[in-house]
Amino acid sequence: MNDAPEEYCATLVVRDAVTKLDALAIVSLAVDRPVIGAGTMHPHIELEGGARVEIEIPKFGEPPPLALDVYSRLGFEHAAMSALALLGRLEEATAWTVKRDFTP
């Protein structure tokens, strides 16, 4: 039996070639938040309002895209709004080509 609270996910897709480490650093700078668990299997960045972003890289040999998964325990709407806020910050702070991969 799993007693962990349910998490909801809204994904952003980055079409640019970037490593996971570089992506974590860039997202961290864009939102002015530290990387939590750097050097572990599951590093993430806590976002304002209680959501967090994790980065999923393509498997070996696959081209981009890079997935930015925004998770929230407060519901899908919260995950989606947090992802859209992150999208806005990334558009301001980077030259990445980012699009949402969810329906609000």
Side-chain angles (χ1 to χ4, degrees):
M1 187 151 124
N2 187 357
D3 292 330
E6 185 171 0
E7 288 192 306
Y8 300 87
C9 181
T11 300
L12 300 175
V13 177
V14 177
R15 295 270 177 211
D16 304 278
V18 61
T19 68
K20 183 174 183 173
L21 289 176
D22 288 343
L24 281 165
I26 291 166
V27 171
S28 175
L29 287 171
V31 298
D32 196 28
R33 299 277 181 143
V35 176
I36 307 296
T40 68
M41 295 292 293
H42 300 286
H44 65 279
I45 299 164
E46 297 289 333
L47 301 173
E48 266 187 54
R52 76 177 192 286
V53 60
E54 293 183 5
I55 298 176
E56 180 67 35
I57 58 171
K59 303 300 181 227
F60 180 75
E62 293 179 354
L66 188 74
L68 306 179
D69 294 325
V70 178
Y71 292 97
S72 174
R73 292 185 174 146
L74 301 178
F76 176 74
E77 292 78 15
H78 185 255
M81 294 306 294
S82 298
L84 291 174
L86 176 59
L87 175 62
R89 291 293 306 135
L90 294 174
E91 286 177 337
E92 293 172 4
T94 73
W96 285 353
T97 306
V98 184
K99 67 173 193 161
R100 66 180 184 205
D101 192 30
F102 60 92
T103 314

